[in-house]
Amino acid sequence: MLAYGGGSIKKSGIYNKICGYLKEAGKEIVDFPGIMPNPTYKKVQEGAALAKEKGVSFILAAGGGSVIDCCKIIAAQAVTDKDIWEMEFKDHIFPTEFLPMGAIVTASGTGAEMNNGAVITNEDTSQKTGVFGAYADFAVLDPGYTMSLPAGQVISGAFDTLSHSMETYLGLPRDINLSDEIGEAVMRNVIRNMRVLIEDMYNLEARSELMWASAMAENGILKIGKVTDFQAHQIEHQLGAYTGCNHGKGLAVIHPVLYRHIYKENIKQFARMAEKVWEIPADGKTQEELAEAGIKALEEFIREMGLPHTFTEMGITDKSILKKVAGTCNLTAGCCKKLSREEILEILEECF
Ligand code: NZQ
Ligand code: ZN
């Protein structure tokens, strides 16, 4: 089954290329188009039904995080009559059997090709959340395949990688360790290459570096020995459930506001990030001043990249959804402090 999105792979020629290789190898192809950004659970069911009906033996996902994520859960749903959502969220059982799958990445940033977590929107329950499915048996990361990706998506995808790295880095433990030092290198690399792309959007070397960084941020290496905290992600996912907004852009708005609310509980790590990632000299600054300078640098970088600063800039106009987002998003243990729903609402209101 060749699964893809709204048609970008047909325009870019990737579709014909893949079909050519598959036909050459004597494979029969079942087409599964139309996987939308922020894939829905209904689309998962449609894919699983098709896979069952056609007796599919392998799923090839060609696209960005949305296509890959949708296929991870199709791979699980296609081999069982139990409902995967109920299985995971009611019975707390995770699937262990899957159709094999591969991923051909056409948009980097999520690192979805590297893990078995899929972010799926259940429209019936208004939830956008992590569901566990198949790991890709292989992933093709050819930066040339991202060349047709629009500039806005390239930048928001790269910011997603930065977000994954920051959310991992700020988690416990707070003493410096190898995972964090690799994380610092990944973050510096992302920032540097985003700056290259903003000047020269078709720079293959920079797209290549960002694709590799995207994989590094989500392949588990940065998370070794860390209690990761993905509170910004949890807030953004629920915002996505109610608005269908772009993931990286939502994160760009949420991060600085969230960090201003929590940095005082983890000044040391924020100060370290300012020095090691944003390369702000310590000279005479207190740890708190350094931490604040780092958040300011993040905010300025977001502006420099043309990413939004407010939900309004993203085109979100209905303020009444903020309460729903705060009331339903997953609460994490907190990289600095566990936030209450009231605090999350305050953060969301500041983002508006
Ligand atoms: O659908 P098509 O026509 O292919 O167009 C897509 C889509 O409109 C387009 N696109 C992709 N490759 C292209 C291209 N256009 C031209 N040329 C290409 N080469 O880009 C648009 C966005 O694609 P999408 O897959 O939605 O973007 P992204 O890769 O940013 O994925 C976002 C989804 O991944 C989830 C997000 O929540 C969101 O649902 N995430 C998944 C994660 C994971 N599994 O580990 C982690 C992330 O934190 C994230 O939450
Ligand atoms: Zn993300």
Side-chain angles (χ1 to χ4, degrees), residues 109-110 160-161 163-164 218 230 233 237 247-248 251:
T110 65
D160 189 21
T161 301
S163 167
H164 297 157
E218 273 301 313
F230 272 60
H233 266 71
H237 285 161
H247 177 59
L251 289 170

Side-chain angles (χ1 to χ4, degrees), residues 191-201 203 206 305:
I191 293 162
R192 188 171 65 247
N193 284 296
M194 284 174 79
R195 284 187 166 135
V196 171
L197 283 187
I198 241 13
E199 296 296 327
D200 175 14
M201 198 39 81
N203 186 308
M305 291 301 117

Side-chain angles (χ1 to χ4, degrees), residues 105-183:
V105 183
T106 67
S108 72
T110 65
E113 69 280 9
M114 289 289 140
N115 56 48
N116 68 336
V119 184
I120 303 292
T121 300
N122 187 328
E123 291 166 308
D124 294 337
T125 60
S126 298
Q127 271 174 300
K128 182 182 178 192
T129 193
V131 187
F132 289 93
Y135 279 97
D137 293 282
F138 65 82
V140 176
L141 287 91
D142 180 341
Y145 285 2
T146 71
M147 283 309 217
S148 52
L149 192 64
Q153 183 64 37
V154 172
I155 295 298
S156 69
F159 189 82
D160 189 21
T161 301
L162 184 63
S163 167
H164 297 157
S165 312
M166 290 192 294
E167 299 225 72
T168 304
Y169 187 76
L170 290 166
L172 294 168
R174 291 175 186 179
D175 51 325
I176 194 63
N177 53 68
L178 180 59
S179 301
D180 284 347
E181 285 179 309
I182 301 171

Side-chain angles (χ1 to χ4, degrees), residues 206-246:
R207 290 206 187 209
S208 168
E209 287 285 285
L210 287 172
M211 193 170 220
W212 174 209
S214 158
M216 272 302 288
E218 273 301 313
N219 64 9
I221 288 177
L222 305 189
K223 299 177 184 177
I224 293 173
K226 299 279 297 181
V227 179
T228 60
D229 179 78
F230 272 60
Q231 189 62 74
H233 266 71
Q234 299 307 326
I235 299 172
E236 196 289 328
H237 285 161
Q238 267 318 86
L239 184 74
Y242 287 102
T243 65
C245 67
N246 175 283

Side-chain angles (χ1 to χ4, degrees), residues 5-300:
S8 73
I9 66 163
K10 287 199 168 165
K11 279 192 211 127
S12 64
I14 298 171
Y15 178 83
N16 282 343
K17 216 171 178 177
I18 297 171
C19 288
Y21 291 140
L22 291 175
K23 282 182 187 150
E24 212 178 285
K27 304 292 176 195
E28 193 186 322
I29 304 169
V30 174
D31 232 40
F32 183 56
I35 299 176
M36 64 292 277
N38 302 322
T40 62
Y41 192 53
K42 279 202 182 85
K43 196 67 189 173
V44 168
Q45 295 307 327
E46 191 188 320
L50 182 67
K52 282 180 181 170
E53 182 199 326
K54 301 284 186 187
V56 163
S57 58
F58 191 90
I59 303 173
L60 191 53
S66 296
V67 171
I68 298 167
D69 279 358
C70 190
C71 289
K72 290 175 187 173
I73 309 306
I74 293 174
Q77 189 66 83
V79 295
T80 179
D81 290 330
K82 289 184 191 149
D83 181 87
I84 295 289
W85 199 278
E86 288 202 354
M87 204 170 140
E88 296 201 12
F89 295 101
K90 282 200 180 138
D91 306 335
H92 305 289
I93 295 170
F94 295 102
T96 52
E97 286 178 19
F98 312 98
L99 278 183
M101 70 171 276
I104 297 177
V105 183
T106 67
S108 72
T110 65
E113 69 280 9
M114 289 289 140
N115 56 48
N116 68 336
V119 184
I120 303 292
T121 300
N122 187 328
E123 291 166 308
D124 294 337
T125 60
S126 298
Q127 271 174 300
K128 182 182 178 192
T129 193
V131 187
F132 289 93
Y135 279 97
D137 293 282
F138 65 82
V140 176
L141 287 91
D142 180 341
Y145 285 2
T146 71
M147 283 309 217
S148 52
L149 192 64
Q153 183 64 37
V154 172
I155 295 298
S156 69
F159 189 82
D160 189 21
T161 301
L162 184 63
S163 167
H164 297 157
S165 312
M166 290 192 294
E167 299 225 72
T168 304
Y169 187 76
L170 290 166
L172 294 168
R174 291 175 186 179
D175 51 325
I176 194 63
N177 53 68
L178 180 59
S179 301
D180 284 347
E181 285 179 309
I182 301 171
E184 288 163 358
V186 170
M187 288 187 270
R188 284 194 303 269
N189 181 289
V190 171
I191 293 162
R192 188 171 65 247
N193 284 296
M194 284 174 79
R195 284 187 166 135
V196 171
L197 283 187
I198 241 13
E199 296 296 327
D200 175 14
M201 198 39 81
Y202 296 98
N203 186 308
L204 184 65
E205 197 56 40
R207 290 206 187 209
S208 168
E209 287 285 285
L210 287 172
M211 193 170 220
W212 174 209
S214 158
M216 272 302 288
E218 273 301 313
N219 64 9
I221 288 177
L222 305 189
K223 299 177 184 177
I224 293 173
K226 299 279 297 181
V227 179
T228 60
D229 179 78
F230 272 60
Q231 189 62 74
H233 266 71
Q234 299 307 326
I235 299 172
E236 196 289 328
H237 285 161
Q238 267 318 86
L239 184 74
Y242 287 102
T243 65
C245 67
N246 175 283
H247 177 59
K249 289 183 181 166
L251 289 170
V253 176
I254 293 165
H255 264 288
V257 180
L258 172 70
Y259 285 171
R260 284 197 201 292
H261 271 253
I262 59 175
Y263 77 96
K264 286 197 177 155
E265 312 288 330
N266 192 359
I267 284 181
K268 203 170 134 200
Q269 191 78 336
F270 271 99
R272 188 176 168 96
M273 186 156 75
E275 260 194 286
K276 302 289 178 188
V277 176
W278 297 106
E279 299 175 323
I280 299 169
D283 34 80
K285 292 186 190 71
T286 64
Q287 289 276 290
E288 186 163 347
E289 284 165 351
L290 252 183
E292 283 166 2
I295 299 172
K296 193 157 179 272
L298 169 66
E299 210 162 37
E300 280 165 4

